[in-house]
Amino acid sequence: MFKIAKATVAAPLMPGSLDLTHRSQDMLAQISISEAWAGEFSSGIIRLGDWSSMLHGLSAQECGLLSLLRCYDPKDRGHILALFEQATTLSSSFCFSTTIMMPNSLRQPVFCMGESSGVEEKFSGSMAGVFIFPRFKLEGANQTASRQQAQAS
């Protein structure tokens, strides 16, 4: 899945739509790990959280787009790069899903949703979003993020 849309066509927030009940938060934590990320166009740096950098197999929380792309399934990289390139030319919302190919042959699914803003201004603009890592094994994978790992932090 690779989607991009103009930011102005996104559904508006409805009153109470950001109010998650305790049960919703528990269910989200039971089935996934989610974490925010941000990127600045002027520097080209993407800032990941602790979980995102670890689950991407990266040693640092700051990286460039190409370092991030190298983590993903090779057949998806071109689509994801095109999506990010589009988002840097027009303020928009986007999403994609792929698999992280870890050095130890494990495969971690990941969903990414984000938006770009400030693109119309020369030499500026940024992106922000969230990674969602489902807690299930892929066929042929030995392990993925487990509930015990998330509870330990």
Side-chain angles (χ1 to χ4, degrees), residues 22-87:
H22 182 66
R23 182 181 170 118
S24 295
Q25 291 173 348
D26 287 347
M27 179 56 79
L28 184 62
Q30 180 179 334
I31 62 174
S32 68
I33 293 172
S34 59
E35 192 167 57
W37 61 269
E40 293 295 326
F41 296 154
S42 60
S43 66
I45 293 177
I46 298 172
R47 288 174 185 79
L48 308 175
D50 292 335
W51 281 104
S52 295
S53 58
M54 182 191 74
L55 291 171
H56 275 90
L58 298 170
S59 59
Q61 289 183 314
E62 291 185 349
C63 66
L65 180 58
L66 292 180
S67 295
L68 195 65
L69 287 174
R70 286 186 192 114
C71 301
Y72 298 146
D73 188 329
K75 57 185 185 227
D76 294 337
R77 292 175 188 166
H79 296 293
I80 297 169
L81 179 59
L83 183 136
F84 274 103
E85 286 174 344
Q86 278 184 284

Side-chain angles (χ1 to χ4, degrees), residues 121-136:
E121 301 165 20
K122 193 173 183 178
F123 302 114
S124 65
S126 62
M127 288 186 181
V130 65
F131 286 117
I132 301 172
F133 303 92
R135 297 179 188 274
F136 57 78

